[in-house]
Amino acid sequence: MKTVRVAGVGLTHFGSAPDRTGRDLFAEAAQRAFDDAGVARSDVDELNYGNFMGADAERQSHQAPIMADAAGIHCPATRYELACASAGVAVRAAVRTIRSGAADVILAGGMERMTNLSTPAATDALSIAADSLFEVRAGITFPGAYALMAQAYFDSFGGDREDLAHIAVKNHKNAVPNEYAQYQREITVGQVLDAPQVASPLGLFDACPITDGASAIVLVSDSYATENDIDAPVTISGTGQGSDRAALSEREHMAQTPAATAAAEMAYAEAGVTPDDVDVAEVHDCFTIAEVLALESIGFYEPGAGIGAAARGETTADSDRPINLSGGLKAKGHPVGATGGSQIAEMTRLLRGDHPNSNHVSDAEIGLTHNAGGTVASAVVHILEVDK
Amino acid sequence: MKTVRVAGVGLTHFGSAPDRTGRDLFAEAAQRAFDDAGVARSDVDELNYGNFMGADAERQSHQAPIMADAAGIHCPATRYELACASAGVAVRAAVRTIRSGAADVILAGGMERMTNLSTPAATDALSIAADSLFEVRAGITFPGAYALMAQAYFDSFGGDREDLAHIAVKNHKNAVPNEYAQYQREITVGQVLDAPQVASPLGLFDACPITDGASAIVLVSDSYATENDIDAPVTISGTGQGSDRAALSEREHMAQTPAATAAAEMAYAEAGVTPDDVDVAEVHDCFTIAEVLALESIGFYEPGAGIGAAARGETTADSDRPINLSGGLKAKGHPVGATGGSQIAEMTRLLRGDHPNSNHVSDAEIGLTHNAGGTVASAVVHILEVDK
């Protein structure tokens, strides 16, 4: 089995790009990734591309060949769709293909354009990542679904809105130096608590924004990197995926996400590491409660014990294991089909030492990314390691 | 590298299923595939699922975990989208994963619900497999796009509507005994030529129908089949994929499909066979002209030489190398996200000897499937072989 290395990563600025098309965004991310990698476009064997709502946002499906063209590569191109975990599973497929020896160089990533839709239209477009028959028809959209999960968590384990507010505050603070982040500004616990309520118990600052953006990662085999003298100190040593029933009502527990646990266990086993070995993580905080569920699902905390982590300073930038140093989905932004690739890009920069927040994790050797789809009906977890 | 075997296949009847949901359809196909395979659902490692227009047809994206649940399996589930080649690339990914040793049992296939949309709405939903910026805005939908390709073919190489009519007649005749086919009835050349024109030079009977349907394939490793005493005489010995620019205007030749040629060359090389070795094929005849382009792209005919094949009786059921014995997309039907899996299912039945048309290919050892997306901006080709 071949070792998979991250040769280069590229991101667009996350935010609102009203005068740019999806192909503009992905082309920019790909350009940055190739520049970072020093890999020739002509060496790319495949494109693995994630997108969720192109049919709604740009009336463009079948985006994979279009994005290959935009990226300037000529190779088989495939779209992966797993709601907000679309780019995560695109990266995972690339890792497995390179490991198998079937390809040496794969461009993986994703793109989402969202801000060209009105907020109601974007909310509607996002809602079909939930179960249309049993949730959407009942009026559930994602803020409502995560609000139900938050309330179920509070009821089962305790915790309150202030605990969640500390997560938003932490992630906004992390985003300040990140040049790709949508919100490079701090917020306070008071602001979070006083913000308009979206779906009780969640307020406006408990939710990630609507975002345009793209991510691109050049993944290569170890042998390709050696032969072509490519500097690629970060490896992806573990990849895992899990699925669950889409509808919350079909789950055993509304405040636990076993699909992510399955994904994490698979990734840990492949990498030969345990949760305690992980030095830094990017997790899928589409809502503040989602960060809590993520940390518990991947084994950083027991169920019910993760709620106070940010308030206690256990996940902040200066803690032993910082969470979402990029700013997370909450403050960096969440172009849904690009997010899984963005997490890999940010973790690569953090581990290589060229992220604005790398100073907080200068000794880090092992990083984890956790990317979720829907209310974690899908989850993809990766383990990244840096040569030291 | 492990050998990949087709343990079982399942299809729904193709046609109009107004009172059934997409999950109903996929569940039925999966049930049939498991019954055919004799494989326990609990042994399934992954679901690779193809769907194209669920966001439009059922307002349901993120279908993969929902379809895993419908199929009664609990495993990582991923949606592949490559327009009308969605299930083809889902099967291809399964083949590569099993070969690599990362999984032993994968359920692959797809589903599309289309007839619940009006014809204009379905045409609109399908159109976004073309280039939205450079084709759809100019008024191009797929009948128009393939009409342009047909006219370009006639202009470059000759041929006429009657040549195309023979393809429709042949495929309808093949569909008569196929219990899964949408149209189990014959048509005549005169009917095709007299049918209402859809987009000159193509008429109504040059086009495949709008269809509801699902396909499911249980793929297993050779070692799993042996250890579990699974009777699976058909192997997938070659898989290939190609991509091209989405917009016809960006192509060098409007009447050639190099993405399919790239896919075929890859598949032939893997299987160690040539076009002359292929005994029977299922190709993507979404329009009659598409069958001509397909046969030329996969090396059965030189460019310009495939147009008269059906009229000359070189591709009919009683010929040396029958094409589309299932009835093809034209007469069997084309639930777009399921079609690539349906082709694998039909070819498996043909090679095993349990297809109603197997009598026409009783000596066949090698079959080919050709699945295309858009105007062949994407293509997936598989080579299947049967133990004799």
Side-chain angles (χ1 to χ4, degrees):
Chain A
M1 198 174 81
K2 293 203 180 189
T3 297
V4 179
R5 291 191 172 273
V6 182
V9 302
L11 296 165
T12 63
H13 183 263
F14 280 12
S16 176
D19 53 357
R20 306 186 70 198
T21 63
R23 55 193 97 187
D24 289 340
L25 296 171
F26 190 70
E28 179 182 324
Q31 175 72 55
R32 289 201 172 126
F34 284 119
D35 287 348
D36 186 36
V39 167
R41 282 174 164 79
S42 56
D43 280 358
V44 178
D45 297 309
E46 299 177 13
L47 170 65
N48 285 8
Y49 173 76
N51 175 263
F52 173 61
M53 49 189 268
D56 280 295
E58 294 194 302
R59 286 307 280 160
Q60 182 70 70
S61 291
H62 198 201
Q63 291 193 7
I66 289 170
M67 293 303 168
D69 192 42
I73 56 177
H74 304 286
C75 58
T78 304
R79 174 188 169 206
Y80 294 78
E81 187 271 304
L82 216 49
C84 305
S86 295
V89 79
V91 169
R92 170 171 159 77
V95 169
R96 299 171 97 200
T97 300
I98 292 173
R99 277 182 181 170
S100 77
D104 278 309
V105 182
I106 298 182
L107 182 67
M111 184 285 299
E112 208 74 64
R113 234 183 123 196
M114 304 173 70
T115 72
N116 56 326
L117 298 177
S118 66
T119 300
T123 302
D124 177 57
L126 288 164
S127 74
I128 62 174
D131 192 312
S132 293
L133 284 183
F134 298 109
E135 293 183 314
V136 184
R137 285 188 184 192
I140 294 281
T141 59
F142 276 92
Y146 275 92
L148 289 169
M149 296 168 91
Q151 194 57 55
Y153 190 100
F154 292 165
D155 291 347
S156 297
F157 304 120
D160 57 27
R161 290 194 62 218
E162 190 166 336
D163 291 318
L164 297 180
H166 282 279
I167 296 168
V169 168
K170 165 180 73 70
N171 292 349
H172 269 261
K173 188 171 180 185
N174 289 342
V176 171
N178 187 350
E179 71 274 31
Y180 297 112
Q182 187 162 1
Y183 298 133
Q184 290 184 266
R185 61 172 185 265
E186 293 198 53
I187 57 174
T188 66
V189 169
Q191 282 177 299
V192 180
L193 294 175
D194 293 342
Q197 192 171 78
V198 174
S200 173
L202 303 179
L204 185 64
F205 285 8
D206 287 290
C208 69
I210 287 170
T211 310
D212 303 324
S215 61
I217 320 289
V218 179
L219 294 166
V220 301
S221 66
D222 206 25
S223 53
Y224 176 92
T226 303
E227 285 158 24
N228 292 275
D229 201 23
I230 303 293
D231 182 35
V234 173
T235 59
I236 300 187
S237 58
T239 176
Q241 184 180 352
S243 295
D244 200 351
R245 286 174 163 167
L248 284 173
S249 55
E250 299 288 320
R251 309 245 184 102
E252 201 166 333
H253 201 306
M254 279 176 56
Q256 290 180 19
T257 55
T261 302
E265 287 175 352
M266 207 181 286
Y268 289 138
E270 284 189 2
V273 303
T274 70
D276 286 347
D277 296 322
V278 176
D279 301 307
V280 55
E282 291 283 315
V283 305
H284 198 96
D285 60 323
C286 48
F287 296 89
T288 48
I289 184 66
E291 178 165 313
V292 179
L293 301 177
L295 295 180
E296 295 179 0
S297 69
I298 60 179
F300 286 10
Y301 291 89
E302 292 296 313
I307 182 71
R312 292 190 300 265
E314 295 168 6
T315 54
T316 47
D318 56 358
S319 70
D320 286 345
R321 185 166 56 193
I323 304 297
N324 285 330
L325 276 176
S326 71
L329 284 57
K330 173 70 196 85
K332 192 199 163 186
H334 183 29
V336 294
T339 287
S342 167
Q343 293 176 321
I344 300 287
E346 295 286 28
M347 184 55 68
T348 298
R349 300 202 301 152
L350 285 164
L351 292 174
R352 288 193 312 206
D354 56 326
H355 192 286
N357 279 325
S358 285
N359 58 303
H360 297 294
V361 285
S362 50
D363 295 330
E365 294 182 11
I366 300 178
L368 177 148
T369 63
H370 160 283
N371 186 204
T375 50
V376 203
S378 299
V380 178
V381 170
H382 283 106
I383 305 292
L384 285 75
E385 304 192 38
V386 64
D387 303 341
K388 286 282 184 183
Chain B
M1 196 174 83
K2 295 204 180 189
T3 297
V4 179
R5 291 190 172 273
V6 182
V9 302
L11 296 166
T12 62
H13 183 264
F14 280 13
S16 176
D19 54 357
R20 306 185 69 198
T21 63
R23 54 193 97 187
D24 290 339
L25 295 172
F26 190 70
E28 178 183 323
Q31 175 72 55
R32 290 204 171 124
F34 284 118
D35 287 349
D36 186 37
V39 166
R41 281 175 164 78
S42 56
D43 281 356
V44 178
D45 297 309
E46 301 177 11
L47 170 65
N48 285 10
Y49 172 77
N51 175 264
F52 173 61
M53 49 190 268
D56 280 294
E58 294 194 302
R59 287 306 281 162
Q60 182 69 71
S61 290
H62 198 199
Q63 290 193 8
I66 289 170
M67 293 303 167
D69 192 42
I73 56 177
H74 305 284
C75 59
T78 304
R79 173 188 170 209
Y80 294 77
E81 187 270 305
L82 215 48
C84 305
S86 296
V89 77
V91 169
R92 172 171 157 76
V95 169
R96 299 171 98 200
T97 300
I98 292 173
R99 278 183 181 169
S100 78
D104 279 308
V105 183
I106 298 182
L107 182 67
M111 184 284 299
E112 208 74 64
R113 234 182 124 198
M114 302 173 72
T115 72
N116 58 327
L117 297 177
S118 66
T119 300
T123 302
D124 178 57
L126 288 165
S127 74
I128 62 174
D131 192 312
S132 294
L133 284 183
F134 297 110
E135 293 182 315
V136 184
R137 285 188 183 190
I140 293 282
T141 60
F142 275 93
Y146 274 93
L148 289 170
M149 296 169 92
Q151 193 57 56
Y153 189 99
F154 293 165
D155 291 347
S156 297
F157 304 121
D160 57 26
R161 290 193 62 217
E162 190 167 335
D163 291 319
L164 297 180
H166 281 278
I167 296 167
V169 168
K170 165 180 72 72
N171 292 350
H172 269 261
K173 187 172 182 186
N174 289 342
V176 171
N178 187 350
E179 71 274 32
Y180 296 113
Q182 187 161 0
Y183 298 133
Q184 290 184 267
R185 61 173 184 267
E186 293 198 53
I187 57 173
T188 65
V189 169
Q191 281 178 301
V192 180
L193 294 176
D194 293 342
Q197 192 171 78
V198 174
S200 172
L202 302 180
L204 186 63
F205 285 6
D206 288 291
C208 69
I210 286 170
T211 310
D212 302 325
S215 61
I217 320 288
V218 180
L219 293 165
V220 301
S221 66
D222 205 26
S223 52
Y224 176 90
T226 303
E227 284 159 23
N228 293 277
D229 203 21
I230 303 293
D231 182 34
V234 173
T235 59
I236 299 186
S237 58
T239 176
Q241 184 181 352
S243 295
D244 200 350
R245 286 175 164 168
L248 283 174
S249 55
E250 299 288 320
R251 309 246 183 103
E252 202 167 331
H253 200 307
M254 277 176 58
Q256 290 180 18
T257 55
T261 302
E265 286 174 354
M266 208 181 285
Y268 289 138
E270 283 189 2
V273 303
T274 70
D276 287 346
D277 296 323
V278 176
D279 301 307
V280 54
E282 291 282 317
V283 305
H284 198 95
D285 60 324
C286 49
F287 296 89
T288 47
I289 184 65
E291 179 166 311
V292 179
L293 301 177
L295 295 181
E296 296 179 359
S297 70
I298 60 179
F300 287 9
Y301 291 90
E302 292 296 313
I307 182 72
R312 293 191 299 265
E314 295 168 7
T315 55
T316 48
D318 56 358
S319 69
D320 286 345
R321 185 166 57 193
I323 304 298
N324 285 328
L325 276 176
S326 71
L329 285 58
K330 173 69 197 84
K332 193 199 164 184
H334 182 29
V336 296
T339 287
S342 167
Q343 293 176 320
I344 300 286
E346 296 286 26
M347 185 55 68
T348 298
R349 300 202 301 151
L350 285 163
L351 293 174
R352 288 193 313 205
D354 57 328
H355 192 285
N357 279 324
S358 283
N359 58 304
H360 296 295
V361 286
S362 50
D363 295 330
E365 294 182 11
I366 299 178
L368 177 149
T369 63
H370 159 282
N371 186 204
T375 49
V376 203
S378 299
V380 179
V381 170
H382 283 105
I383 305 291
L384 284 74
E385 304 191 38
V386 64
D387 302 342
K388 285 282 182 180

